[in-house]
Amino acid sequence: MADDEETLEFDFGKKKKKNKDKKDKKDEEEGDGEAKMVTTEWEKGEVYTYDELLGRLYQIIEDKNPTLGTTKKYVMKPPQVVRVGSKKVGWVNFTEICNLMKRPVEHVITFALVEFGTEGSTTAEGQLTLKGA
C-alpha cells in the first residue's frame, strides 16, 4: 500500500480558468476596457438667511394647504369660582366651559383633579366642587 501511495502523483500545476458571466463578457465588448469618468464643477449657490428660509417655508405651506393656518380662535369664558363653606370651592360654569372646549366632562374632571392634586365631585347643576386642604 505504501508503494501505491508513492506512485500516485498529484499535479498542483495550473488552475482551471473560470468561465466569466455573460454580463462581464458583454461589458468588456461594449466598454473596450476603458472606463470614462464624468466630472462636473461645483459652484456655490446663493446664501439665504434664516428669516428668508422661514418666510419661504410659510409661503409654500400656505400655497399647498390654504386652510391650515386659518382656524378660528374662540374666546374662553373665565371660570366662575365661589367659596362653599370653609374648605370647599365651587366652579360654577364648569360644564359650560367643557362644552366650549368640546371635551367630555369626565375627562376634564380627571385632568383638573390631577393638576390641582385634590379631590372633587360634580353637582346636578354641572358645578365642580373641589375639596381644599
Side-chain angles (χ1 to χ4, degrees):
M1 280 214 174
D3 294 334
D4 291 336
E5 289 177 8
E6 289 177 11
T7 57
L8 292 176
E9 292 183 21
F10 294 103
D11 184 20
F12 294 110
K14 298 180 183 178
K15 292 183 177 180
K16 291 184 179 178
K17 293 184 179 179
K18 294 183 180 179
N19 292 334
K20 294 186 177 181
D21 292 339
K22 293 179 182 179
K23 291 181 182 178
D24 291 339
K25 289 181 183 178
K26 288 181 183 177
D27 289 342
E28 287 179 4
E29 292 172 5
E30 291 176 5
D32 295 331
E34 291 184 26
K36 296 180 182 178
M37 186 175 201
V38 178
T39 59
T40 57
E41 253 184 70
W42 180 80
E43 293 181 14
K44 187 175 182 178
E46 187 177 344
V47 178
Y48 295 103
T49 65
Y50 176 76
D51 293 330
E52 290 173 339
L53 290 174
L54 190 62
R56 190 172 161 198
L57 174 72
Y58 280 123
Q59 185 63 40
I60 291 171
I61 289 173
E62 187 178 322
D63 292 343
K64 301 271 183 186
N65 195 357
T67 60
L68 185 64
T70 59
T71 56
K72 285 187 173 181
K73 294 183 179 179
Y74 54 90
V75 179
M76 292 294 299
K77 291 184 178 180
Q80 296 173 355
V81 181
V82 294
R83 190 150 186 103
V84 181
S86 63
K87 293 188 176 183
K88 291 185 182 179
V89 174
W91 186 349
V92 178
N93 60 348
F94 180 73
T95 52
E96 185 180 349
I97 289 177
C98 291
N99 293 335
L100 281 174
M101 291 190 304
K102 298 178 183 172
R103 297 288 184 266
V105 176
E106 291 300 319
H107 174 75
V108 181
I109 288 173
T110 0
F111 175 78
L113 294 179
V114 168
E115 285 295 311
F116 294 149
T118 185
E119 297 177 1
S121 59
T122 56
T123 62
E125 298 89 33
Q127 178 179 339
L128 177 63
T129 307
L130 300 169
K131 296 177 184 174

